[in-house]
Amino acid sequence: MSLFKFLRRGSAPVARERLQILLAHERCSSRGQTDLLGLLREEILAVISRHVSFEPEKVQIKMDRGKSVSTLAVDIEIPNGFGTAPA
Amino acid sequence: MGQVLVVTSGKGGVGKTTSTAALGAALARGGDKVVVIDFDVGLRNLDLVLGAERRVVFDLINVIHGVAKLQQALIRDKRLDNLCLLPASQTRDKEALTEEGVAEVITELRTKFDWIICDSPAGIERGATLAMRNADAAIIVTNPEVSSVRDSDRIIGLLDSKTVKAERGEQVEKHLLITRYHSARAARGEMLSIDDVLEILSIPLLGIIPESQEVLRASNLGSPVTLNNALSAPARAYFDAARRLKGEKLAMSVPSESRGILNKLFGRKAA
């Protein structure tokens, strides 16, 4: 593509792609389909809290919903010398 | 202690969300710690205008219900790390937003940020009254157009009666932000002038944002106009407004688009 064409192409294609990705994710959840990222987040935290007691503030959760790939990052600060939480 | 601002208008589509993002980013650029809160439950859009829509995990209602800690729900801007977003819930119903819950969240934010900017939904219902409830100051966004001016007048009435400050017998400081202003059309008498609007609403003027294609371009790209093109006319107007919020006295002007050599060559902006 020539530089001229690139400059003229403008910002609308970016807007279009952002909306397509966002709406694909939003439509899934509004149709009652499981939000996989949300489910994984809940279950990961549940499993960890069975073994370790951690402060909710020490958990950072990041998500990035992409077109073909989404990412989930769960960052938990676990204190040294923790005791196992009662089962 | 942080200052709580509400960006409100009554009428929809006048530029509340655009202005919240632009002013928030302008204040953050100046080094202040800023959080912008979306109060439009069910129809959030501040995340999209800031380009953070893919990264929303928790929202304001999750924090109020104790599902998430405030620190977990805040989304840090990728360009400015002293700018944070607290998104609105997209699914839950508006009743989930409680007066006490909102007050608690705002109290906590006051200790962490210099500016807490509440982006109000349109209308005069619960979401709008809760957004203004704890405000120290209000930015009333108005287009130079009859229905927008009328609705702004209605909102000014609510600011004087429904806020915590009003109930204590104090005044919420009010600032008028005129957006989508077209100098040439106003000069030809086709559009209400700044003086017309000021005379009718009689509150102090914070800024005049000219109509510009840069605003649409910035929202397409998910970047506040003050970050996307800081030298554009609307961005300069928002930067001036941000400085006035901090107490600076600046002469009021309507910035105009300076046409660079590339634009002159192509005869238009690449937008």
Side-chain angles (χ1 to χ4, degrees):
Chain A
M1 195 191 299
S2 73
L3 179 66
F4 182 75
K5 250 190 168 168
F6 177 77
L7 284 174
R8 293 287 295 247
R9 206 164 147 251
S11 56
V14 181
R16 185 186 135 99
E17 190 179 346
R18 291 174 62 220
L19 277 172
Q20 281 173 335
I21 295 169
L22 176 66
L23 295 182
H25 287 282
E26 282 193 347
R27 283 174 186 156
C28 282
S29 48
S30 67
R31 283 186 196 129
Q33 282 167 279
T34 31
D35 166 22
L36 183 61
L37 242 48
L39 188 70
L40 288 173
R41 187 188 74 214
E42 301 288 312
E43 295 197 356
I44 288 169
L45 290 180
V47 166
I48 295 170
S49 62
R50 275 215 300 274
H51 298 281
V52 193
S53 51
F54 53 83
E55 304 267 317
E57 299 96 281
K58 300 292 162 95
V59 182
Q60 282 301 328
I61 300 159
K62 284 185 178 154
M63 289 201 219
D64 197 339
R65 296 177 190 80
K67 196 175 194 174
S68 47
V69 179
S70 295
T71 61
L72 169 68
V74 183
D75 191 337
I76 306 170
E77 200 177 294
I78 298 165
N80 292 332
F82 61 82
T84 310
Chain B
M1 278 294 262
Q3 272 250 30
V4 180
L5 293 176
V6 60
V7 179
T8 185
S9 69
K11 191 175 184 300
V14 296
K16 287 181 294 296
T17 302
T18 300
S19 299
T20 302
L23 287 171
L27 288 165
R29 253 281 165 84
D32 288 354
K33 283 188 267 175
V34 181
V35 59
V36 290
I37 315 179
D38 194 341
F39 272 84
D40 206 343
V41 174
L43 290 171
R44 72 170 174 225
N45 273 320
L46 188 54
D47 56 335
L48 198 51
V49 169
L50 285 168
E53 73 278 4
R54 299 186 195 185
R55 298 192 289 134
V56 174
V57 184
F58 296 115
D59 56 55
L60 176 59
I61 290 178
N62 292 146
V63 177
I64 288 175
H65 285 183
V67 175
K69 294 280 167 191
L70 183 57
Q71 214 54 46
Q72 296 174 315
L74 292 171
I75 302 172
R76 203 169 288 280
D77 187 83
K78 284 196 165 169
R79 296 146 295 211
L80 292 171
D81 64 2
N82 51 339
L83 175 62
C84 284
L85 162 71
L86 184 54
S89 165
Q90 189 66 329
T91 49
R92 271 162 250 247
D93 77 302
K94 289 176 197 204
E95 300 306 309
L97 216 54
T98 61
E99 201 176 298
E100 301 74 30
V102 170
E104 260 175 53
V105 170
I106 301 265
T107 305
E108 195 177 341
L109 289 171
R110 273 186 200 269
T111 65
K112 296 188 161 82
F113 292 90
D114 301 311
W115 300 94
I116 297 106
I117 310 181
C118 305
D119 183 19
S120 172
I124 51 171
E125 304 299 319
R126 190 183 176 80
T129 49
L130 279 176
M132 69 171 67
R133 183 89 193 130
N134 302 283
D136 300 310
I139 296 172
I140 296 116
V141 183
T142 306
N143 292 166
E145 180 270 327
V146 287
S147 54
S148 174
V149 176
R150 178 209 205 167
D151 292 358
S152 293
D153 190 64
R154 189 79 200 280
I155 282 291
I156 292 169
L158 290 182
L159 287 165
D160 286 333
S161 59
K162 300 268 187 187
T163 53
V164 172
K165 273 205 150 183
E167 286 168 10
R168 281 197 210 126
E170 297 166 35
Q171 279 264 327
V172 172
E173 204 180 296
K174 294 179 220 66
H175 303 280
L176 180 65
L177 187 68
I178 298 182
T179 55
R180 311 201 70 164
Y181 186 70
H182 202 301
S183 309
R185 298 189 67 187
R188 288 197 296 269
E190 297 167 8
M191 184 181 251
L192 287 172
S193 72
I194 301 296
D195 288 340
D196 294 334
V197 180
L198 283 176
E199 190 191 323
I200 296 165
L201 294 178
S202 54
I203 57 170
L205 184 60
L206 180 70
I208 307 161
I209 315 298
E211 172 79 55
S212 165
Q213 53 193 3
E214 285 299 325
V215 172
L216 177 60
R217 185 176 162 77
S219 92
N220 278 345
L221 299 174
S223 172
V225 70
T226 42
L227 294 186
N228 190 55
N229 185 355
L231 298 175
S232 65
R236 283 182 285 141
Y238 278 120
F239 275 114
D240 281 356
R243 288 169 65 186
R244 289 187 194 103
L245 276 177
K246 298 191 72 172
E248 274 188 60
K249 302 266 178 272
L250 297 172
M252 192 64 67
S253 66
V254 189
S256 62
E257 222 72 71
S258 62
R259 285 159 67 86
I261 191 150
L262 262 179
N263 300 322
K264 276 180 190 155
L265 264 175
F266 293 135
R268 52 164 268 189
K269 283 239 148 190

